[in-house]
Amino acid sequence: MSNIIALAGLSNSGKSTSLKYLDPEETFIISCTSKQLQIPGFRKKYKKATVDDGKLCGNWLISNDYVKIEKVLKIISKSRPEIKVACLDDCNYLLSNETFQNAMVKGYEKFTILAKNYYDLIQTCQNLRDDLTIVFISHIENIGTEIDPEYRLWTTGKMLTNAINLDGLFSYIIYAERYIPDGQDEVGYRFKTRTDGNDTCRSIAGCFEDKYIEPNMKLVIDRVNEFEFGEE
């Protein structure tokens, strides 16, 4: 069973940028939009995926097609042992894309299908090889008010939420945040490892000593692996 980690936050909170700390020789990024990678030197470090002599080459795929994404992840699990981390960047756009594709379809069944496709993707990821970590990078939404906010992983609305509790499928949901450090004027960035009580941020008890940590995805993955494999 592979490890599944969600990295969630508002736009421009440092989610995608945190991938710059990962080793490109061990990382495969799947971009669910056509947005370029937020990584210095990404054009040299990440080569677009191709199939050469029947083998998957490269470490960067741009796709919002569930079937293609699941197929590539299974190939990585089976035939690319050097890849230790696979990241699905902007994965909430999988939901958006399918919603727009079926905008003219009447009835509530389309929302059940929408939820099932996303659920099946997560289940596929959980059944990949043990030493592989899958990172789902998603936006969050406020389902409360400005006075009493309540944050969760972004969905396409109540119809989808009624069909599936996305947040409940993850043991780790790390929140990326912007903040103003004391005594400074510049915006800072950090990761949050446990909830404030009004969001779905979570991690297994005892994994992270500090509530706030450096916005570094490698640090998160290394710590989770140390914790789960008993390498304290």
Side-chain angles (χ1 to χ4, degrees), residues 29-212:
I29 296 177
I30 298 175
S31 297
C32 299
T33 70
S34 298
K35 182 179 72 176
Q36 68 182 44
L37 299 180
Q38 309 297 298
I39 298 173
F42 79 90
R43 295 186 187 278
K44 290 184 177 180
K45 296 176 181 177
Y46 288 90
K47 302 297 183 181
K48 289 187 178 180
T50 59
V51 177
D52 296 330
D53 295 327
K55 295 182 179 180
L56 177 67
C57 301
N59 56 354
W60 179 27
L61 174 70
I62 299 174
S63 178
N64 56 22
D65 179 86
Y66 282 105
V67 174
K68 187 173 185 178
I69 290 172
E70 290 185 28
K71 183 176 181 180
V72 167
L73 287 170
K74 289 177 181 178
I75 292 173
I76 290 171
S77 179
K78 182 179 180 180
S79 306
R80 296 286 299 273
E82 79 280 8
I83 300 297
K84 304 300 182 184
V85 180
C87 302
L88 279 70
D89 196 13
D90 286 329
C91 61
N92 53 277
Y93 284 101
L94 291 171
L95 298 171
S96 300
N97 179 66
E98 191 171 6
T99 298
F100 284 120
Q101 286 181 341
N102 294 287
M104 304 306 294
V105 177
K106 297 181 179 180
Y108 298 117
E109 183 181 359
K110 65 180 180 181
F111 295 104
T112 302
I113 295 173
L114 188 70
K116 185 178 185 305
N117 287 338
Y118 203 86
Y119 175 84
D120 286 348
L121 174 61
I122 295 175
Q123 292 300 302
T124 294
C125 291
Q126 289 177 335
N127 291 317
L128 301 178
R129 69 172 195 267
D130 289 349
D131 67 340
L132 186 60
T133 297
I134 312 297
V135 180
F136 282 75
I137 302 176
S138 174
H139 289 83
I140 56 175
E141 61 180 343
N142 180 11
I143 59 172
T145 66
E146 289 186 359
I147 298 175
D148 296 306
E150 184 178 349
Y151 295 100
R152 69 180 181 195
L153 295 177
W154 189 92
T155 69
T156 52
K158 291 183 179 179
M159 293 298 183
L160 177 63
T161 304
N162 290 339
I164 184 173
N165 175 14
L166 292 181
D167 302 79
L169 298 176
F170 297 91
S171 296
Y172 298 93
I173 304 180
I174 305 299
Y175 270 41
E177 295 184 340
R178 300 187 300 267
Y179 74 108
I180 304 293
D182 292 339
Q184 299 185 30
D185 297 325
E186 295 294 326
V187 173
Y189 298 87
R190 65 189 181 188
F191 280 176
K192 186 173 68 175
T193 64
R194 51 184 178 270
T195 184
D196 289 327
N198 65 342
D199 56 51
T200 57
C201 178
R202 66 188 63 170
S203 57
I204 296 178
C207 183
F208 294 96
E209 180 178 350
D210 298 321
K211 182 175 182 177
Y212 297 107

